[in-house]
Amino acid sequence: MKLSELQSINEIRLVNTIKDDKDIQDVYIGDLLSFVMANGKEESIWLTVQRHINVIAVAELNDFSAIIFVENVEPDEETLLKANELHIPLFVSSLDAFALCKRLYQEGL
Amino acid sequence: MKKVYTVLKDNYEDAGQASRDIKMTLKMLEINPKVLKRISIACYEAEINLVIHSNGGTITFELDDDGIVKLSFDDTGPGIENIELAMTPGYSTASKEAREFGFGAGMGLDNMKNCASTFDIQSSKDGTHLRMTFQ
Ligand SMILES: Nc1ncnc2c1ncn2[C@@H]1O[C@H](COP(=O)(O)OP(=O)(O)O)[C@@H](O)[C@H]1O
Ligand SMILES: [Mg+2]
């Protein structure tokens, strides 16, 4: 699946300016950064409620394709700016992680 | 090759910057991606520990001719009283603030040990000195 295919899910919106159409190979859900670092796989999309700038370093080190903030969590301004700088697409979803996973599954992920 | 980075106490904004730079450097040298992943995890965990637990310090990255990567983390205190306890998965003294940012799972030292080829930690009130090698 490609990031551009997320557009067909109404409950997801891009919140920064990075439109790179990266591959999505997997999904990782978590808010404790040590677990995300240890277990996240490259080209995953990461579902989290962690809005602080530190998520960007974690996404970058893991080569994640994008971060989706679930349950309408809005990332901090610094997080948005850093993600633009490092070319990491950020999305916000109104769904919780499980509901979003069901939608992603329906879309073929 | 050798690079030294300064890490400041409580500097959450830039936390992870040194790890990122080291990763970029190694990526350009086309190091094995699996080894690079292990280095990234261990380096990030150790860098975060300098930010959230120590009074600040330095990270030294060295790459020798045999392709062995050595990372050293040296801070100026307050030290780890009981290293065995600190190594226990789930044990953390992270502040409320650090936890709010997603740190403090108590998995850092354990993650590092699992990722590194060699792992050595020494600590006193004057500072913690951590060395890891990767191959
Ligand atoms: N550089 C350091 N200086 C002082 N204490 C440290 C340092 N690194 C680790 N510690 C201590 O070891 C504990 C465990 O560290 P770690 O496994 O990385 O978990 P966490 O960082 O999530 O607390 C920390 O909570 C802290 O008490
Ligand atoms: Mg830690």
Side-chain angles (χ1 to χ4, degrees):
Chain A
M1 193 171 172
K2 289 271 195 186
L3 284 181
S4 57
E5 295 173 62
L6 294 178
Q7 281 172 4
S8 58
I9 304 177
N10 289 329
E11 298 89 349
I12 297 179
R13 61 192 162 85
L14 185 69
V15 290
N16 70 345
T17 57
I18 306 303
K19 298 197 173 71
D20 303 17
D21 196 15
K22 303 183 192 181
D23 276 323
I24 308 174
Q25 296 291 349
D26 210 334
V27 180
Y28 190 85
I29 308 172
D31 305 315
L32 288 174
L33 303 183
S34 285
F35 284 88
V36 184
M37 276 309 295
N39 303 315
K41 295 190 202 73
E42 64 175 9
E43 297 193 312
S44 294
I45 47 174
W46 176 21
L47 278 45
T48 187
V49 292
Q50 206 59 256
R51 70 183 85 209
H52 189 260
I53 187 169
N54 291 294
V55 298
I56 304 303
V58 171
E60 159 88 10
L61 285 167
N62 274 304
D63 295 309
F64 287 155
S65 298
I67 304 174
I68 305 183
F69 301 93
V70 293
E71 302 192 50
N72 273 328
V73 164
E74 292 285 340
D76 294 345
E77 186 63 27
E78 287 154 347
T79 308
L80 289 171
L81 294 175
K82 196 76 186 177
N84 281 342
E85 185 190 323
L86 297 179
H87 273 257
I88 298 172
L90 302 183
F91 298 86
V92 170
S93 175
S94 55
L95 300 173
D96 64 37
F98 181 56
L100 180 55
C101 283
K102 285 192 286 187
R103 289 290 289 118
L104 290 166
Y105 185 75
Q106 282 166 5
E107 293 301 321
L109 191 67
Chain B
M1 183 194 290
K2 180 171 172 171
K3 285 183 161 195
V4 182
Y5 305 84
T6 303
V7 180
L8 302 175
K9 175 186 163 75
D10 291 334
N11 186 1
Y12 294 97
E13 309 308 307
D14 294 325
Q17 197 116 311
S19 302
R20 234 176 34 228
D21 192 74
I22 290 168
K23 183 189 168 193
M24 295 306 287
T25 305
L26 289 168
K27 205 167 183 174
M28 279 191 301
L29 296 169
E30 294 181 358
I31 182 178
N32 175 329
K34 288 210 170 98
V35 179
L36 181 56
K37 171 83 182 172
R38 291 197 281 118
I39 294 172
S40 298
I41 294 170
C43 190
Y44 180 75
E45 291 286 3
E47 180 176 359
I48 294 300
N49 280 358
L50 289 194
V51 175
I52 69 176
H53 301 301
S54 88
N55 300 331
T58 59
I59 302 176
T60 309
F61 160 81
E62 287 163 281
L63 175 64
D64 75 14
D65 296 337
D66 303 329
I68 296 174
V69 172
K70 183 172 159 193
L71 295 176
S72 310
F73 301 81
D74 301 284
D75 65 55
T76 55
I80 304 174
E81 222 169 273
N82 183 338
I83 291 181
E84 207 183 301
L85 183 61
M87 297 288 304
T88 311
Y91 175 84
S92 176
T93 62
S95 67
K96 189 164 169 283
E97 188 188 24
R99 284 173 203 263
E100 269 165 21
F101 296 153
F103 302 119
M107 302 303 297
L109 290 168
D110 193 56
N111 277 352
M112 291 177 225
K113 203 173 173 197
N114 291 334
C115 288
S117 308
T118 67
F119 176 91
D120 175 66
I121 185 165
Q122 311 280 338
S123 191
S124 74
K125 282 201 303 299
D126 301 327
T128 299
H129 305 281
L130 169 64
R131 312 225 173 293
M132 293 184 275
T133 62
F134 300 85
Q135 60 187 107

